[in-house]
Amino acid sequence: MADIPQLRAVNVTRYVTPLREGGSLPAIAEADDSFNYVLKFRGAGHGTKALIAELIGGEIARALGLPVPELVFADLDEAFGRTEADEEIQDLLQASRGLNLAMHYLSGAINFDPVVTTVEAKMASQIVWLDAYITNVDRTFRNTNMLIWHRELWLIDHGASLYFHHSFDDPEGHARSPFALIKDHVLLPQASLLEEVDTEYKALLTQEKIRAIVNLLPDTWLQWEGLDQTPEQVRDVYFQFLTTRLNNSQTFVNQAQNARQALI
């Protein structure tokens, strides 16, 4: 299992091309370390909450040993994007000044196709468990959010996870609830080892590791309009949600097993 890293920080130097997927308009961008990244903008869609879900979901996956591209903090200078000709993109860039999130661009990767590629039961169970744990609604046949790169499966895009934070009310109740949308998971039919994975993953995800991941969240992402909690208090809400959900994992594991039985 990989150690929990501190995220590197890069400065975005060049906007390469938009990736027009959904309403968030991520983009391929070059940074001052000469690497290309898929850049997620704080000024798009659900704002910093999507970046929070991306960071927490991606780093939990990494802590569990699952293959995810490196995540980095990506800084957009105030002057960046002023010469962009597309008005919509220029507005997005201007609204995203400051700290954003990016993942390494896997050049040459292709979208995972469940008809072409069979995922073995252990990995399928690991991915289904992860998505039920972080309430990821976006790993379906319609949008698998997985890539094949150098003949290996990689997980991307966890920005639709942790959807409790869009209302931010009753996180305790959400943490203890099943995850009915797991029935639509693209890998559910192959996920026959959920009990085994549950035991392994509960041992791996210690409170210290969860706290270390939550502590990566920068203050500037945790200052939402209408919120009277401090950034540290918001981090505590995420920590409590994740630890409570882990302690009650049998609830979402049972839900996934029942949904799988209905399919096979």
Side-chain angles (χ1 to χ4, degrees):
M1 185 198 70
D3 292 330
I4 303 299
Q6 291 296 315
L7 266 62
R8 293 190 301 115
V10 300
N11 295 305
V12 179
T13 56
R14 186 168 67 96
Y15 184 98
V16 178
T17 187
L19 297 171
R20 296 187 179 274
E21 301 169 358
S24 62
L25 287 182
I28 299 174
E30 186 178 348
D32 57 0
D33 60 358
S34 299
F35 286 110
N36 282 349
Y37 294 90
V38 175
L39 182 58
K40 303 294 185 77
F41 296 102
R42 61 183 296 157
H46 293 297
T48 59
K49 290 182 181 180
L51 305 188
I52 290 166
E54 187 77 67
L55 189 156
I56 289 177
E59 291 306 311
I60 285 176
R62 193 185 318 283
L64 295 173
L66 293 169
V68 289
E70 182 191 10
L71 294 174
V72 298
F73 292 122
D75 191 68
L76 279 185
D77 185 81
E78 183 174 348
F80 192 85
R82 286 180 180 169
T83 60
E84 171 59 48
D86 186 306
E87 187 173 326
E88 181 182 15
I89 293 174
Q90 186 178 106
D91 290 344
L92 175 64
L93 296 175
Q94 289 300 306
S96 301
R97 291 174 295 180
L99 209 58
N100 297 270
L101 190 70
M103 68 176 66
H104 258 290
Y105 176 57
L106 305 182
S107 179
I110 60 173
N111 288 327
F112 167 77
D113 184 342
V115 175
V116 174
T117 304
T118 299
V119 179
E120 55 90 20
K122 183 64 175 287
M123 176 164 272
S125 301
Q126 291 170 328
I127 296 170
V128 167
W129 189 97
L130 167 72
D131 289 331
Y133 174 49
I134 62 174
T135 62
N136 181 17
V137 303
D138 212 3
R139 191 110 61 202
T140 66
F141 282 91
R142 184 173 57 84
N143 188 23
T144 65
N145 279 328
M146 293 183 286
L147 299 175
I148 302 295
W149 190 58
H150 293 287
R151 299 184 180 180
E152 294 183 345
L153 186 70
W154 289 76
L155 309 183
I156 60 168
D157 202 349
H158 299 92
S161 306
L162 306 175
Y163 59 81
F164 84 92
H165 66 181
H166 294 296
S167 62
F168 219 62
D169 84 342
D170 192 22
E172 175 86 9
H174 284 284
R176 296 177 181 274
S177 69
F179 183 52
L181 292 176
I182 202 67
K183 66 182 176 57
D184 299 320
H185 199 288
V186 66
L187 297 182
L188 185 61
Q190 289 79 48
S192 58
L193 300 175
L194 286 166
E195 288 286 356
E196 176 184 327
V197 168
D198 183 52
T199 300
E200 293 177 3
Y201 276 2
K202 287 180 78 170
L204 286 175
L205 270 184
T206 63
Q207 289 196 10
E208 291 75 20
K209 286 182 180 133
I210 294 172
R211 175 63 77 180
I213 291 169
V214 170
N215 282 348
L216 291 172
L217 298 173
D219 285 0
T220 55
W221 290 4
L222 302 172
Q223 296 164 345
W224 311 329
E225 184 177 351
L227 186 71
D228 58 4
Q229 291 160 296
T230 67
E232 193 55 43
Q233 288 171 327
V234 176
R235 288 189 195 92
D236 282 339
V237 172
Y238 284 106
F239 174 75
Q240 293 300 332
F241 172 85
L242 291 166
T243 53
T244 299
R245 191 157 183 79
L246 188 65
N247 291 335
N248 291 273
S249 64
Q250 199 60 51
T251 300
F252 63 77
V253 168
N254 288 344
Q255 177 83 36
Q257 289 174 320
N258 291 339
R260 181 175 179 271
Q261 286 301 314
L263 292 176
I264 61 176

